[in-house]
Amino acid sequence: MRVWLYLGIAVCLAGIGAVLHGAMPSSRDARIVQSANPEDGKVIGGVFVSDYFNLSYRLSDELTEGLAGPPPSQSGYYVLGTWTPKRDFAGTVLVVAQDMFFAPDSSDDVKNVVAEFRHVMSTVDGMTIDREPAPVSVGGHPGYRIDFSGVGLFRSTFAIEIRCHVVTFNLTTRDPELLASLARSLDNLDSVRKETSDPVPECVRDYATENVVHRVEPHGVSTKPVSVPVRMIVAADGSVKHVHVIRASAAQRQNIEDAVRQWKFKSYVKEGHPVEVETGMVFNLKPATM
């Protein structure tokens, strides 16, 4: 069961209201992508910008940010943003992401994720599938859309894949016409970086576990065994360029970062040339010895 996707819908039900109006590309440096993390998105001058996912859109003047989401989960589930209206409560927009490297029921196919979600929602009493899963494009990314309704609310979920994350846009309203307007507004999602000579790293599952040539183990900092999910970007020469410890204590985070930055990998080769790669692995830390 894909709990992370269902949680997105549950949060939408907690409040009503939001309208997105158009995107505004940013002139941000392409090199920011190398140090950005999924949870780093923010609203700047009325525009939501996610450097990691290379997405941006301008918010309506009628919108205000909702409550901040929780920290990333152990399975790499992120709340990227929530928006609600300043006045009338008519609908909500919730944007979330799930790291597919660490999802409980991992799949490489967004279509399968949405199909499973459709099956689960169809078994909920009082819920009706209004639009079967169908291919769509969101911000230039291929994905799938499903619409469903129940208990006086109308909902759409759009799911796309970016950098081995499934990013979902969850829209909930009391008015089907407003739902259609919200859905159309997603056509205006845009890229943060229009042109770049610094491309996004290749996304490769399990590369870190199979291609390490030099490894330094992090020290355990815990009273009991703990599993820590970590993403990393490996440079073309095999050195570690960026480490993202998704969920851990401050001491565990520092120890893992210090250790992994000393790792060396085999170069990832694409079309005969070494290129950067983004991958992930789970560190199973043991309690610190006395």
Side-chain angles (χ1 to χ4, degrees):
M1 180 180 296
R2 298 190 181 280
V3 176
W4 56 271
L5 189 53
Y6 314 146
L7 285 173
I9 301 303
V11 175
C12 277
L13 299 180
I16 305 296
V19 180
L20 297 178
H21 286 292
M24 187 183 80
S26 169
S27 60
R28 301 164 77 81
D29 193 324
R31 290 172 296 179
I32 292 176
V33 71
Q34 301 294 350
S35 59
N37 293 320
E39 66 268 36
D40 293 340
K42 61 184 65 178
V43 176
I44 304 174
V47 179
F48 175 77
V49 175
S50 172
D51 288 300
Y52 181 87
F53 291 112
N54 193 23
L55 291 175
S56 72
Y57 49 83
R58 178 178 292 281
L59 304 176
S60 163
D61 291 338
E62 298 300 316
L63 286 180
T64 185
E65 289 188 79
L67 295 176
S73 74
Q74 196 74 20
S75 64
Y77 175 86
Y78 302 86
V79 175
L80 304 183
T82 60
W83 292 274
T84 60
K86 296 177 181 178
R87 288 184 285 273
D88 296 335
F89 287 92
T92 60
V93 173
L94 168 70
V95 185
V96 301
Q98 171 64 54
D99 190 325
M100 298 308 288
F101 288 163
F102 309 112
D105 297 310
S106 186
S107 171
D108 291 326
D109 192 335
V110 174
K111 181 179 180 180
N112 290 340
V113 171
V114 175
E116 183 180 339
F117 176 67
R118 184 253 183 244
H119 171 72
V120 172
M121 297 310 297
S122 69
T123 65
V124 177
D125 289 342
M127 199 69 68
T128 301
I129 303 299
D130 300 319
R131 180 194 290 258
E132 293 290 343
V136 294
S137 177
V138 181
H141 297 275
Y144 285 83
R145 171 184 179 177
I146 179 173
D147 291 6
F148 51 104
S149 60
V151 297
L153 297 174
F154 300 87
R155 309 169 184 86
S156 286
T157 292
F158 294 76
I160 59 178
E161 183 175 352
I162 307 175
R163 297 180 71 167
C164 290
H165 292 75
V166 173
V167 180
T168 61
F169 300 82
N170 304 285
L171 317 177
T172 302
T173 77
R174 295 190 181 120
D175 181 355
E177 292 187 2
L178 176 57
L179 184 66
S181 176
L182 288 172
R184 287 193 299 270
S185 74
L186 295 182
D187 293 337
N188 296 319
L189 286 168
D190 210 340
S191 299
V192 176
R193 300 172 298 279
K194 285 297 188 180
E195 297 181 1
T196 176
S197 59
D198 196 4
V200 171
E202 291 288 318
C203 180
V204 181
R205 184 190 300 272
D206 297 328
Y207 194 79
T209 59
E210 300 171 355
N211 295 278
V212 179
V213 296
H214 175 71
R215 174 171 178 156
V216 176
E217 295 295 338
H219 299 294
V221 183
S222 177
T223 58
K224 60 183 180 180
V226 61
S227 297
V228 179
V230 178
R231 276 225 174 197
M232 60 192 77
I233 296 177
V234 179
D237 64 2
S239 62
V240 175
K241 194 169 185 177
H242 180 64
V243 181
H244 177 213
V245 180
I246 295 174
R247 186 179 180 90
S249 69
Q252 291 164 352
R253 185 184 308 275
Q254 188 64 58
N255 284 343
I256 291 174
E257 289 177 350
D258 290 345
V260 173
R261 288 193 180 102
Q262 302 177 63
W263 287 21
K264 187 75 173 180
F265 290 85
K266 298 176 184 176
S267 294
Y268 182 77
V269 178
K270 180 180 180 182
E271 298 178 352
H273 300 284
V275 297
E276 293 185 354
V277 62
E278 183 173 13
T279 189
M281 67 179 297
V282 175
F283 285 82
N284 296 307
L285 301 182
K286 298 179 180 180
T289 57
M290 299 300 294

